[in-house]
Amino acid sequence: MAHPKRRHSSTRRDKRRTHYKATPVALSTDAQTGEVHQRHHAHVFEGNLFYKGQMIIENYAKTA
């Protein structure tokens, strides 16, 4: 495994890390429920599980 002969400065380290950025989560509004949710993910609305505007599982979230 390679080892550096000289220590890299913090400036060089920070320049290398400039491209590591957090990207914002893409949100979408469901046409049927009007719920804002993360794109390409199923979401719960009024106890039912929805995906792409269709109900996938009824009574998904059980209320205690």
Side-chain angles (χ1 to χ4, degrees):
M1 188 170 187
H3 294 286
K5 193 166 191 175
R6 298 274 183 255
R7 179 178 174 168
H8 281 194
S9 67
S10 59
T11 304
R12 283 187 64 157
R13 179 200 63 207
D14 294 343
K15 283 181 182 178
R16 184 181 68 246
R17 293 179 181 174
T18 59
H19 301 290
Y20 300 143
K21 300 172 187 164
T23 56
V25 176
L27 297 177
S28 185
T29 304
D30 195 331
Q32 184 177 359
T33 62
E35 187 81 7
V36 176
H37 61 92
Q38 191 174 355
R39 293 192 69 135
H40 305 290
H41 285 71
H43 63 281
V44 178
F45 179 73
E46 294 180 354
N48 301 323
L49 188 68
F50 284 86
Y51 184 68
K52 291 188 179 178
Q54 297 179 354
M55 186 179 1
I56 304 300
I57 301 174
E58 198 170 353
N59 297 327
Y60 178 75
K62 307 246 191 259
T63 55

